[in-house]
Amino acid sequence: MIQIDDLRKMYQIGDQQIQALRDVSLTIHEGEFVAIMGPSGSGKSTMMNVLGCLDKPTSGEYMLDNYRISTAHDDDLAFIRNQKIGFVFQSFNLLPRTTAVENVELPLMYSGVPVRERRERAIAALQDVGLGERLWNKPNELSGGQQQRVSIARALVNNPLILLADEPTGALDTNTSNEIMSIFQHLNDAGKTVILVTHEPDIAEYAKRIVRFRDGRIEEDQLVEVRRLAYHPEVVRS
């Protein structure tokens, strides 16, 4: 699914050159659940931006589903972001004046999906994350956990290859975080590839593999022998 070889990312800040990623090589297979960890300044956020095709590496190779991301044009990257990757962010990134359904429909609008089909698919996605009774609520009428579920439904509505989550529980309490992680685990068990960026060790334990960054390099890459389970069958429709 993902093959990265000798990847580097440099930033120029005034006269200073910052090396955010240094000779990173990483393989992620279809169906994996990977947590990317590291302290502030370790390179994990830069890695997320590169994985999500939000930024291109300075050098090295990045292949995603046989697409050569390293040399792709901006239009190609926009297509890949819309069709191949579903994004979930800490701050939810929902449009405040639109309903849950309308927020979930957005990626389908950009894909040119007809009105009736996108409405049906948005409703189905919200039902899948347990929000069938909140279709017409606006974000300010939803709890933080419900808003994050809307954002997950929006990420899933195009059936992407990869679900990329950046600190998805950072703004949530412990119980709600557990519910959100149960959704990710359910999706992964159903075959979805999940990549989670977090600084919280207890959240990383829900994954099946943890990749730790430090000083722009991969410090450790290990399988989780006994992962934490967070199943709440009432949260996700089977």
Side-chain angles (χ1 to χ4, degrees):
M1 181 73 71
I2 288 175
Q3 181 66 51
I4 290 173
D5 294 301
D6 298 325
L7 188 142
R8 297 184 180 186
K9 180 61 185 177
M10 311 282 291
Y11 293 104
Q12 191 73 36
I13 302 178
D15 295 332
Q16 188 176 12
Q17 198 172 57
I18 305 298
Q19 192 162 347
L21 294 174
R22 308 164 184 259
D23 303 316
V24 173
S25 295
L26 179 67
T27 300
I28 297 177
H29 299 285
E30 183 177 359
E32 284 202 89
F33 188 163
V34 180
I36 294 177
M37 293 194 68
S40 178
S42 64
K44 69 179 186 299
S45 295
T46 302
M47 190 75 244
M48 187 211 72
N49 288 336
V50 171
L51 287 171
C53 302
L54 300 169
D55 202 355
K56 290 200 290 187
T58 304
S59 64
E61 191 71 78
Y62 174 22
M63 299 289 294
L64 169 60
D65 191 36
N66 296 320
Y67 283 83
R68 192 177 301 277
I69 304 301
S70 317
T71 56
H73 297 294
D74 290 343
D75 288 345
D76 296 326
L77 292 177
F79 170 81
I80 291 167
R81 286 193 298 269
N82 182 258
Q83 297 295 318
K84 303 287 185 181
I85 305 170
F87 294 92
V88 180
F89 299 100
Q90 176 179 342
S91 57
F92 317 137
N93 287 5
L94 301 178
L95 298 179
R97 297 183 180 180
T98 59
T99 65
V101 166
E102 290 166 334
N103 268 284
V104 175
E105 285 180 330
L106 282 175
L108 301 175
M109 292 176 62
Y110 298 139
S111 301
V113 176
V115 173
R116 182 174 178 178
E117 181 184 345
R118 69 177 183 239
R119 178 58 50 92
E120 291 173 349
R121 286 169 61 177
I123 289 173
L126 286 164
Q127 291 172 336
D128 285 345
V129 297
L131 287 181
E133 297 180 356
R134 295 287 189 171
L135 302 176
W136 312 110
N137 289 94
K138 295 179 180 179
N140 65 358
E141 299 169 330
L142 301 172
S143 69
Q146 288 169 337
Q147 290 184 61
Q148 191 60 291
R149 284 195 239 168
V150 173
S151 123
I152 293 172
R154 181 184 57 193
L156 291 170
V157 76
N158 259 338
N159 192 27
L161 293 175
I162 296 170
L163 194 61
L164 184 58
D166 182 20
E167 302 282 4
T169 63
L172 305 175
D173 61 52
T174 300
N175 288 336
T176 307
S177 296
N178 186 63
E179 292 180 1
I180 295 302
M181 294 311 300
S182 76
I183 296 176
F184 287 125
Q185 286 189 334
H186 178 92
L187 292 167
N188 177 246
D189 288 345
K192 186 67 67 181
T193 305
V194 180
I195 303 174
L196 169 75
V197 178
T198 183
H199 69 279
E200 302 177 77
D202 56 333
I203 295 298
E205 290 173 2
Y206 290 108
K208 295 177 180 177
R209 176 183 170 193
I210 300 176
V211 178
R212 289 183 171 88
F213 276 76
R214 183 174 294 276
D215 298 328
R217 294 187 171 93
I218 293 178
E219 180 182 51
E220 186 178 31
D221 185 347
Q222 64 178 22
L223 296 176
V224 177
E225 293 185 3
V226 181
R227 69 170 178 162
R228 179 181 298 208
L229 297 179
Y231 288 145
H232 287 265
E234 74 278 7
V235 174
V236 184
R237 188 178 70 180
S238 59

